[in-house]
Amino acid sequence: PAPLLAYGAHPTAGSTWRYKMDFTETTLAQFVANHGNTWRDEGFDDSTWAAGGSQIGYGDSPRDEVTLSPRTDYRTARGTQSGPVALFRAQFTLAEVAAVSGITGRVLFDDSCAIYVNGIKVYRHGDLTANAPLTEYTETTTATTRENAEANFTVPLGLLHNGANTIAVEVHQHDAGSSDLSFDLRLSAV
């Protein structure tokens, strides 16, 4: 397999991602009103988003994040809380899709996630409610959070084209009391 995107662990960086994690209840609603789901698409302008090497997140001890992201004060009435969702975007390049027999990946997340390639969903963690992306908090089928969980996924070759392709990931917090967030993703072509 040829690596397209790589994991990182402090202090060694993986791949570079653009990310947006500064959401509060109000700014998430504004973002959805202004952009809907277009942030998943290839043509979306993420040039104003922060950029950093993976793993990206905060709150783990011992630290495994390469890029420490800021926490967001979500609900001051309950103390400092994490933002409800974090968005990540990166590109990977395929010289010739016809020469590829498969694309596989592995995602690290805390607490739930969904993955899109060129705007199309390729993976949704089982705990993430199917029709509720970018809501206040993840609606899950379990009462427990996921700490640095990992899952495998496959990218259908029909979604890809020669040149740069876009991968977008939404990572959801389980609840308002979540004190950490982790994200990383590796991708390989066969």
Side-chain angles (χ1 to χ4, degrees):
L4 300 171
L5 296 168
Y7 267 10
H10 179 74
T12 304
S15 297
T16 298
W17 291 81
R18 290 279 185 178
Y19 62 93
K20 184 166 180 60
M21 302 176 79
D22 58 348
F23 292 113
T24 63
E25 188 171 8
T26 303
T27 59
L28 179 58
Q30 289 171 336
F31 182 85
V32 170
N34 293 339
H35 303 290
N37 292 326
T38 62
W39 69 273
R40 304 169 180 168
D41 298 339
E42 290 184 87
F44 183 81
D45 181 9
D46 59 14
S47 61
T48 61
W49 290 18
S54 66
Q55 183 183 98
I56 302 171
Y58 55 82
D60 285 343
S61 182
R63 175 183 173 182
D64 55 359
E65 306 94 347
V66 172
T67 301
L68 289 173
S69 56
R71 294 188 64 191
T72 299
D73 187 4
Y74 179 66
R75 294 181 181 172
T76 56
R78 294 186 185 176
T80 302
Q81 303 295 321
S82 304
V85 68
L87 308 180
F88 301 90
R89 291 173 47 88
Q91 289 190 328
F92 60 95
T93 301
L94 296 172
E96 188 178 347
V97 175
V100 176
S101 63
I103 302 280
T104 60
R106 187 159 179 87
V107 62
L108 180 148
F109 57 93
D110 180 354
D111 295 308
S112 266
C113 73
I115 302 170
Y116 307 87
V117 173
N118 296 331
I120 305 299
K121 180 180 68 180
V122 297
Y123 175 78
R124 181 183 297 271
H125 184 258
D127 285 351
L128 188 59
T129 302
N131 297 314
L134 297 184
T135 55
E136 242 181 78
Y137 278 96
T138 304
E139 294 181 20
T140 65
T141 56
T142 178
T144 61
T145 61
R146 304 280 187 213
E147 301 299 325
N148 285 345
E150 293 184 85
N152 296 317
F153 64 95
T154 302
V155 178
L157 295 178
L159 299 181
L160 304 170
H161 53 76
N162 296 344
N165 292 268
T166 299
I167 189 164
V169 183
E170 59 188 74
V171 175
H172 290 256
Q173 296 285 34
H174 179 274
D175 56 59
S178 183
S179 62
D180 57 0
L181 183 140
S182 298
F183 166 73
D184 209 343
L185 187 145
R186 64 183 181 223
L187 199 63
S188 297
V190 177

